[in-house]
Amino acid sequence: MSARRIFTAPARLAAIPPYVWMVLFFLVPFGFVLKISLSQTAIAQPPYMPVFGLSEGIDGLKASFAALSLDNFRLLVSDNLYLASYLRSVLVAVVSTLILLAVGYPIAYGMARLPRRWQGIAMMLVIVPFWTSFLIRIYAWINILQHDGLLNKVLLALHVVSTPVVWLSTDSAMYLGIVYSYLPFMILPLYATLAKQDPSLIEAAADLGVSRIDAFWLVTVPLSLRGVGAGALLCFIPIMGEFVIPDLLAGSNALMIGQTLWLEFFTNKDWPVASATAIVLLGLLLIPLLVYDRLQRRQLEAR
Amino acid sequence: MAVHPLRLSRFNVTSLVLGLAFLYLPIVILVIYSFNASRLVTVWGGWSTRWYTEFFNDRAMLDAAWMSLRVGVVSATLATLLGTLAAIALTRGTGFRGRMLMSGMLYAPLVMPEVITGLSLLLLFVALDAGRGFVTVTIAHTTLTMCFVAVVVQSRLAGIDRSLEEAAMDLGRDPLRAFIAVTLPLIWPAIAAGWMLAFTLSLDDLVIASFTTGPGSATLPIRIYSEVRLGVKPEINAICTLIVGFIAVVIVLASLVSKLSSARGESAAPL
């Protein structure tokens, strides 16, 4: 106990460098996003009207306040392009998370039932693909899914289809890519809660005459909801802002919000609108985080 | 706690096998096709290494690879330093002011969409009038990857028995020395793993690098991405295989290092 008290002082010192770094390169940049989201678009370099320049003194500052505008946000609400992008992002994230849950749960469950010494190996095998490049994993699928790619060849050879199926630039390809990329994020938290479950609970259920399948739904699943929540959150939030996967695998007629932001920024050079898009996206992402936090707190109180 | 696991059902085995096949098959196929002699990516023309030769003659690709390696090494090293300090502060510095903010700032980037992180950093660099290139990409990658390092090191630190450190202090070491002599060797594998993770994440990043780099200093993922957008090319298969192989070597090294040092740590622990 004494050690803890003595050690707090150096630990505080240790906090200073990472603290300063994160404030400077994580917190402050958000101030800039907010500031530029409120400024006017300009055809200049950088392409926005300056606001809050301190060079012109108090009068300049007053003028800056007057120049602030919510125009960019108004545009986001009024133009269907943005609304459609946000809705599509939510839809894609929800559907992907559900598929990930359906695919990831059996795998995590199987892992948790392996003999102890195999569980570590299984976990390594799930983590390793996460270490290999994200872009390469998507590219590997382009190889397989293209017009004369392996998938079509196999399907043709097996006489499942008579003409090659178009896979690339479709939503199916995009969902496949998302599930493939985010599967480890879903499996690991699920496995963590499933592995901790006491098997004697299942044995007790069996002693009471509950069938294996019923025991799974009555005991295993409810006790793993914590892992379900964590896995869903870990997948849902980054998928909402996903750019690379829909850009490479989905068609270009419907965009996710990450793609719209990218387009505004790099192609249209409209930095203020891109910033406003980012601010609204952040606000949207806070919702699942707050819900999760609320649920967890309620669980703690219930104990 | 001798928890004996329940019998594996056929369903468990099937889902494990299918799941792992799903995770690995695409990469295996990519590697096989990189040795394809045919220019048509999908027609098998026999084994060949011509696409590897092509890559090693591609000046722009090589420059991008070199840039990525430099950014990776420098940012991973910085991130490991900062992330380890942050982990120490979070596990040991109970109740310092702003602890909540600190953990918030460390966890947020883990799930933050990369487009937002990239955009916000770029706006900062523009406002500071900083020329974009190696330095800005390195700063951006350090910011992202130090959070991963902090999480990895923190989980290891939390599991360390503090009585060893206390014993060292009872023997007259000051807290800092006791930490360096006793705890640092024990968390060394986690620090090494954190570095490897930071390095591979940096090597992998496309979105944040696209925002924060300038003309003429493309990283490898940026180059690959612009090629991939134009379609599949056998040369890209070869580059991707090289990256996969490189990362596999890094992982094997990492697990060897952590095995060796944890074996040493255990023998040193009784002291």
Side-chain angles (χ1 to χ4, degrees), chain A residues 3 6-7 19 21-22 25 29 32-33 106 109 113 125 133-134 139 143 148 153 180 199 212 237 247 265, chain B residues 3 6-7 12 15 22-24 30 42 92 98 102 105 111 120 122 127 143 166 175 204 225 232-233 237:
Chain A
I6 302 166
F7 203 74
Y19 208 98
W21 184 283
M22 286 313 277
F25 294 116
F32 281 102
V33 179
Y109 187 55
R113 287 199 146 193
L125 284 175
S133 168
F134 184 76
Y139 175 70
N143 253 327
D148 45 0
K153 279 192 174 163
Y180 185 67
R212 271 183 86 149
I237 293 183
D247 186 61
F265 189 86
Chain B
V3 182
L6 295 164
R7 211 161 41 86
N12 291 149
S15 50
F22 176 60
L23 284 176
Y24 284 90
L30 175 86
T42 49
R92 295 300 171 82
M102 172 105 156
M105 285 191 300
V111 289
S120 67
L122 172 76
T143 310
E166 281 174 39
D204 185 22
Y225 173 71
V232 174
K233 268 171 70 182
N237 284 350

Side-chain angles (χ1 to χ4, degrees), chain A residues 1-4 6-8 10-12 14-15 17-19 21-30 32-33 35-36 45-46 48 103 106-116 119 122 124-137 139-144 146 148-150 153 176 179-180 183-185 187 195-199 202-203 212 233-234 237-238 240-244 247-248 258-259 261-262 265-266 271 274-275 278-279 281-282 285 289, chain B residues 3-9 11-12 15-16 19-20 22-27 29-30 33 41-44 78 82-83 85-86 88-89 92-99 101-102 104-106 108-109 111-117 119-128 132 138-139 142-143 146-148 162 165-166 169 175-176 179 193 196-197 200-201 203-204 206-207 210-211 221-222 224-225 228-229 231-234 236-237 239-241 243-244 247 250-251 255:
Chain A
M1 210 57 230
S2 63
R4 178 174 301 178
I6 302 166
F7 203 74
T8 339
R12 279 183 192 159
Y19 208 98
W21 184 283
M22 286 313 277
V23 167
L24 197 60
F25 294 116
F26 185 72
L27 219 52
V28 171
F30 280 113
F32 281 102
V33 179
K35 172 187 138 173
I36 288 161
Q45 195 54 250
Y48 55 88
V103 175
I107 300 174
Y109 187 55
M111 280 169 68
R113 287 199 146 193
L114 281 174
R116 272 290 133 157
Q119 288 191 10
M124 265 304 283
L125 284 175
V126 171
I127 295 175
V128 165
F130 169 76
W131 289 66
T132 59
S133 168
F134 184 76
L135 190 59
I136 290 176
R137 280 179 287 154
Y139 175 70
W141 276 108
I142 298 182
N143 253 327
I144 296 170
Q146 61 185 326
D148 45 0
L150 204 63
K153 279 192 174 163
L176 188 66
V179 170
Y180 185 67
L183 199 54
F185 292 94
I187 291 178
K196 267 188 266 166
Q197 272 182 26
D198 190 344
I202 298 289
E203 279 165 22
R212 271 183 86 149
L233 201 69
L234 272 181
I237 293 183
M240 271 283 285
E242 187 54 58
F243 164 75
V244 181
D247 186 61
L248 289 177
Q259 296 170 275
L261 196 157
W262 183 281
F265 189 86
F266 285 107
W271 293 16
S275 302
I279 296 280
L281 177 58
L282 265 186
L285 291 180
L289 272 177
Chain B
V3 182
H4 81 94
L6 295 164
R7 211 161 41 86
L8 276 170
S9 66
F11 175 73
N12 291 149
S15 50
L16 271 177
L20 289 176
F22 176 60
L23 284 176
Y24 284 90
L25 220 53
I27 298 173
I29 292 170
L30 175 86
Y33 270 98
V41 194
T42 49
V43 178
W44 186 255
L78 277 173
L82 291 165
L85 286 175
I88 293 170
R92 295 300 171 82
T94 39
F96 69 87
R97 215 172 286 176
R99 189 177 183 282
L101 180 67
M102 172 105 156
M105 285 191 300
L106 283 171
V111 289
M112 183 80 73
E114 287 171 323
V115 279
I116 298 184
T117 314
L119 174 72
S120 67
L121 276 165
L122 172 76
L123 294 181
L124 174 80
F125 294 142
V126 170
L128 294 177
R132 276 177 279 147
T138 305
I139 289 176
T142 305
T143 310
M146 70 178 271
C147 306
F148 286 86
R162 238 179 249 188
E165 229 174 289
E166 281 174 39
M169 277 189 282
L176 188 64
F179 180 82
M196 301 281 181
L197 182 60
T200 53
L201 282 170
L203 212 59
D204 185 22
L206 164 71
V207 174
S210 298
F211 275 100
I222 295 178
I224 294 178
Y225 173 71
V228 168
R229 291 210 62 167
V232 174
K233 268 171 70 182
I236 303 287
N237 284 350
I239 298 168
C240 291
T241 302
I243 298 176
V244 169
I247 289 173
V250 169
I251 296 175
S255 58

Side-chain angles (χ1 to χ4, degrees), chain A residues 10-11 24 27 65 78 135 164 177 190 196 198 200-201 214 225 232 234 252 267 281-282 288:
Chain A
L24 197 60
L27 219 52
F65 263 111
S78 60
L135 190 59
L190 282 175
K196 267 188 266 166
D198 190 344
S200 56
L201 289 171
D214 284 347
L225 286 182
L234 272 181
S252 52
T267 310
L281 177 58
L282 265 186

Side-chain angles (χ1 to χ4, degrees), chain A residues 28 36 39 54 69 102 108 155 168 190 199 204 218 227 253 262 268 282:
Chain A
V28 171
I36 288 161
S39 69
L54 288 177
S69 81
L155 290 180
L168 278 184
L190 282 175
L218 289 172
N253 40 1
W262 183 281
N268 298 350
L282 265 186

